[in-house]
Amino acid sequence: QFRINAQGRLQFLQDFGGTTGNTDDADTTGTNLRDNSWHHIAMVRQNDNSWQLYVDGFLNYSGTGMTGNITGINEVAIGRRVDSDSHYLNGFISNFRFVNGTALYTSNFTPSTEPLTAVTNTKLLCCNSSNSHTWINHCEW
């Protein structure tokens, strides 16, 4: 799950397998995402069970111990919490890409301003249009 905490900071949570990411609702470190601006978000989970969370190309959070086999997951939610039919995103998603088996970002980077494309090991590519960002109107599996 990606979600915004009470302070406007991005949180990442992996509930499957009993492990978590950064889930402190009082956390004020990192980029404030409640500024009515577009932000590039990238989450990387490494084979060594470490993880990094980038906002606008800069590392905001990192951790270790992200264990658990996520291959058995039967539900993924984009724009709401996985564990409820509420807590919907109040915003827009543009250029969503899920890549399995390849870490695209391993250090700070400059986010692309072009629509995303499928890269090696892309499993899901949505909203990859430069002029449509209100609804998930195109997905490739």
Side-chain angles (χ1 to χ4, degrees):
Q1 296 180 47
F2 285 111
R3 60 186 183 202
I4 297 176
N5 75 5
Q7 310 307 315
R9 282 17 180 224
L10 188 65
Q11 292 179 311
F12 166 72
L13 168 66
Q14 177 191 320
D15 241 349
F16 196 82
T19 58
T20 59
N22 60 319
T23 58
D24 181 1
D25 250 353
D27 186 7
T28 58
T29 61
T31 304
N32 184 350
L33 300 177
R34 291 189 177 148
D35 62 355
N36 293 317
S37 297
W38 283 99
H39 293 280
H40 182 278
I41 308 299
M43 192 281 166
V44 178
R45 180 181 174 204
Q46 305 280 355
N47 286 338
D48 66 359
N49 297 324
S50 66
W51 58 273
Q52 298 82 37
L53 188 55
Y54 297 90
V55 177
D56 297 329
F58 294 97
L59 182 65
N60 271 220
Y61 303 99
S62 64
T64 59
M66 187 60 63
T67 61
N69 183 350
I70 60 173
T71 59
I73 293 175
N74 60 10
E75 180 181 9
V76 174
I78 300 171
R80 72 167 174 85
R81 284 181 55 170
V82 173
D83 60 348
S84 81
D85 286 331
S86 60
H87 304 290
Y88 287 91
L89 171 71
N90 182 15
F92 301 99
I93 298 173
S94 176
N95 287 279
F96 181 93
R97 177 173 55 198
F98 177 82
V99 179
N100 185 30
T102 304
L104 298 182
Y105 309 109
T106 57
S107 62
N108 291 341
F109 61 95
T110 301
S112 174
T113 57
E114 298 298 317
L116 296 178
T117 60
V119 296
T120 301
N121 295 324
T122 296
K123 301 299 179 190
L124 177 64
L125 180 62
C126 292
C127 307
N128 52 323
S129 169
S130 60
N131 60 8
S132 179
H133 55 264
T134 55
W135 301 102
I136 295 178
N137 62 352
H138 177 230
C139 289
E140 298 175 12
W141 290 91

